[in-house]
Amino acid sequence: LLALGSNSLAAQHSTPNQDSSALVASYNNKIAASGDLYYGIEHVGYPQRMNGFAYFESNEWQKGSVTYNNVLYQDVLLKYDLFTDELVVLHPNNFFAVTLVSEKVQSFTIGRQPFIYVPASNKPGIKQPGFYHLLVSGKLSILAKRTKSVEEKTMVGEVERTVVQKDQFFVVKDGIANAVSNEASVMSLLGAHERKV
């Protein structure tokens, strides 16, 4: 009777174990299919005690694509951290986020906004390696370097923290990036085409 009872118990528990094994296998297959996209340092985010947020355009996860180690991944949930100039992806388990190695990211899009990674000394005129917002692509390209920082102000015994965004623009002509700050500085790069533009 004991032997029969133990076989019966084993039979009852075999289905849940098989189901969980199938779930684990499916999850592992999903991770394997993603290559090394989800291997990196965990991103823990920032405290809510500040006015504003650290990320590009939204504090929420945004769907996009990323070319990582020369492999294109589509429909990935992303955040672009403008404090650290790093791209963050949401792990498929939805429990934690991973900071990607910037040098392995060739490009990414958030929504329809394209970004490219510019390595050190790759474009004359750009001193800071990192991600650049590709606003216009062509014979004359326009890039924006977007950054955020926190300004602190003491208010009656407490510190008020406000997120401030700064944008720097570059016009890339003949492979050379030129920092521009107003219309006149853009026009000066156009030479004979200035009046036409």
Side-chain angles (χ1 to χ4, degrees):
L1 285 173
L2 286 173
L4 185 61
S6 63
N7 288 339
S8 175
L9 286 171
Q12 288 175 2
H13 288 288
S14 63
T15 303
N17 286 339
Q18 287 173 352
D19 288 347
S20 62
S21 296
L23 287 172
V24 170
S26 172
Y27 179 78
N28 288 338
N29 288 339
K30 188 172 184 180
I31 297 297
S34 66
D36 61 353
L37 184 65
Y38 298 108
Y39 293 95
I41 299 171
E42 183 178 2
H43 178 80
V44 295
Y46 298 97
Q48 298 298 315
R49 299 183 303 276
M50 57 184 181
N51 300 320
F53 49 87
Y55 308 101
F56 174 72
E57 286 196 339
S58 174
N59 205 32
E60 304 300 320
W61 292 103
Q62 302 180 73
K63 191 170 281 191
S65 63
V66 55
T67 302
Y68 192 65
N69 258 351
N70 299 309
V71 177
L72 174 63
Y73 301 92
Q74 295 180 316
D75 296 325
V76 181
L77 290 176
L78 304 170
K79 287 184 179 182
Y80 173 29
D81 187 338
L82 294 179
F83 282 170
T84 61
D85 194 27
E86 293 174 323
L87 187 63
V88 182
V89 295
L90 182 63
H91 196 277
N93 65 14
N94 292 327
F95 288 131
F96 68 93
V98 177
T99 300
L100 299 181
V101 178
S102 296
E103 291 80 7
K104 292 184 178 183
V105 179
Q106 285 78 47
S107 62
F108 68 90
T109 61
I110 290 186
R112 296 185 178 182
Q113 304 294 322
F115 289 81
I116 59 172
Y117 182 79
V118 178
S121 304
N122 192 42
K123 285 196 187 313
I126 291 183
K127 298 176 182 177
Q128 182 182 359
F131 295 114
Y132 287 78
H133 194 175
L134 183 59
L135 299 174
V136 176
S137 179
K139 290 182 178 179
L140 204 70
S141 297
I142 300 177
L143 302 175
K145 181 62 183 168
R146 307 200 185 277
T147 58
K148 284 186 177 182
S149 60
V150 176
E151 289 185 354
E152 295 185 348
K153 186 187 294 183
T154 304
M155 306 278 292
V156 193
E158 64 179 33
V159 177
E160 183 180 90
R161 295 176 176 85
T162 303
V163 176
V164 178
Q165 181 167 329
K166 180 182 177 184
D167 300 316
Q168 188 177 7
F169 297 92
F170 297 87
V171 172
V172 182
K173 180 184 178 187
D174 300 326
I176 299 174
N178 303 272
V180 294
S181 56
N182 53 37
E183 184 179 339
S185 60
V186 175
M187 291 299 179
S188 67
L189 297 171
L190 300 176
H193 301 286
E194 180 179 348
R195 292 188 64 183
K196 193 181 296 185
V197 171

